[in-house]
Every structure is written in C-alpha cells, then in structure tokens.
Amino acid sequence: MPHSHSSIKDFQGCSRRYQQVRVFKRFKQAPTEATTYGKFVHEAFEKFFEDGVLPEALARHSEFLEGIRAMAGERLCEAKLAFDRNFKPCGFFDANVFFRGVPDFLLINGKTAWVADWKTGKSSRFADTSQLELMAAMAMVHYPDIEVVKGMLFFIVPNDVIRATYKREQLSEILSKWTGFADQIDGMDINQSWPAKPSGLCNFCPVTEDVCEHR
C-alpha cells in the first residue's frame, strides 16, 4: 500500500492502530474540532493564492501570505506528488505508487523550490520538520533541475514560522531513510505482527477494546 508522511507517523505512533485503520480499514478517525478548523484554514489559504482574499477570521495573516503570493515562479497549491520504488515520478493513484504527498504550497523557480505546510496546532515548540524533508525529496524527484528546497512550517495560531533547507546532495539519504520506515511496515505485514503501543492517546483511538487490550 502507498506510504506518506502521515501514514508513517501513524505507524510509529502505534502499529496496531495503523493495521486496523490503514490496512484493514476497520475503523475511521472521527472528525474533531481541530481537524475541522484545519480544513477551513487549508481551503481558505488555497483560495487566497487564487484571488488574494482571506476570511475575516484569518485576515491577520494576509500580509505574510501576500509576500509569498508575490514570489516569482510556478506556484502549485495542494499538488499531488508521488514516486515509485525506483524513485521515479508516478501518478498519485498508480498501482506502483510507493510514497505520495500533497504539499500545501509549492513554488518552483529555476533551481530553487519553496515548500510550505500550514499548521493549526497551538504551539510550534515541538515542530516536526520531517514532513518538509519528505516533501523536499518529492519536489526534487519530480523536478530534476531543483538543487535547493527551502521548507517552511507556518503555525497559524502562534503566528510562528519554522524553516528548514534541503539540498540535492541529501536526496539519496532522505529517500533511504523513508524507505527504511516503509520496510519496517512491510516486515510487520509479512509476519502479521502489529504490537500495540499504549500512550496517553489511547483514549482518542478509534480502535475498540475487542481489538486492542489497551482500550
């Protein structure tokens, strides 16, 4: 099955939940107030890059976003990127897709690209730039001329920006790292061993107690 940043993170959080939700598809995570707000922000920002208008609730970010909107280059919002096990670009829903992702914002200008993701969490203190790393790799796979990818996590609530830069010479190392994560999942699938990983998040897990002893 295809892998992504979110699926790998789900697996690392708890392989039992990953199995039940993503492999067997027996359970679904119910929408929450946070996910509903996240959808609102992403849709509003995508529309802003089309017409320059933001809802009143997000108007305080207009100056920052306008600076991004004014940047020269090929701008892509919610672009569907994917590559196969040979690290070649492929269709998002192709049968041979290995990894796929949808960067919230991608700008291509010659040998440089900018990739951004909008975050609606209340704090950037524990910001995880691994998503930027994978998106940067996808951009370099799809655009062979790109030498540098400048990544940005924009935390909406605290109005904070976390930045990271990736160069083409890092590409093979990044791809090897994420392939390793995928291989761990393949190993568990082969052995049909999906141990639970109890944590404070168990109370929010959609998997029921008849499937997991920690519910």
Side-chain angles (χ1 to χ4, degrees):
M1 59 185 297
H3 302 287
S4 65
H5 176 266
S6 61
S7 71
I8 294 295
K9 289 301 175 181
D10 280 353
F11 169 75
Q12 293 174 335
C14 179
S15 66
R16 178 76 55 78
R17 182 182 65 222
Y18 176 93
Q19 177 210 36
Q20 294 295 317
V21 174
R22 291 187 177 266
V23 181
F24 292 164
K25 302 185 186 301
R26 289 187 58 191
F27 304 94
K28 289 185 178 181
Q29 193 75 52
T32 64
E33 182 178 342
T35 58
T36 300
Y37 179 65
K39 182 179 180 182
F40 163 72
V41 168
H42 282 72
E43 290 178 349
F45 280 17
E46 183 177 4
K47 188 173 185 299
F48 173 84
F49 288 112
E50 295 175 359
D51 58 23
V53 177
L54 275 176
E56 183 62 31
L58 299 171
R60 69 189 182 105
H61 302 302
S62 59
E63 183 177 354
F64 175 76
L65 293 175
E66 190 57 58
I68 299 175
R69 187 170 181 259
M71 294 172 65
E74 178 189 1
R75 186 173 68 230
L76 301 168
C77 293
E78 306 292 333
K80 291 181 171 60
L81 304 180
F83 58 76
D84 61 23
R85 268 204 174 263
N86 294 315
F87 309 120
K88 301 296 183 183
C90 67
F92 199 76
F93 296 107
D94 284 359
N96 64 334
V97 62
F98 182 38
F99 267 91
R100 61 189 181 194
V102 183
D104 292 337
F105 176 86
L106 177 63
L107 184 80
I108 311 296
N109 190 339
K111 295 184 177 182
T112 304
W114 288 261
V115 64
D117 196 81
W118 322 127
K119 298 296 182 185
T120 53
K122 295 181 180 179
S123 172
S124 62
R125 182 180 178 185
F126 302 107
D128 179 8
T129 58
S130 64
Q131 183 177 11
L132 294 177
E133 176 186 83
L134 183 57
M135 293 300 104
M138 287 187 170
M140 286 187 275
V141 166
H142 276 261
Y143 297 87
D145 291 337
I146 291 177
E147 294 294 333
V148 177
V149 178
K150 298 181 179 181
M152 175 180 70
L153 298 176
F154 179 35
F155 284 80
I156 310 303
V157 177
N159 202 29
D160 195 12
V161 178
I162 305 297
R163 303 181 189 275
T165 299
Y166 305 94
K167 298 181 178 180
R168 181 162 289 275
E169 54 259 37
Q170 298 173 266
L171 180 58
S172 60
E173 181 181 350
I174 294 172
L175 293 175
S176 176
K177 169 184 171 180
W178 288 88
T179 297
F181 294 148
D183 288 344
Q184 291 176 22
I185 295 175
D186 289 343
M188 286 194 176
D189 190 36
I190 291 170
N191 296 319
Q192 282 301 296
S193 172
W194 304 88
K197 186 178 180 180
S199 72
L201 298 176
C202 288
N203 290 335
F204 304 98
C205 180
V207 178
T208 55
E209 60 185 10
D210 61 309
V211 175
C212 180
E213 64 275 20
H214 300 289
R215 289 291 286 122

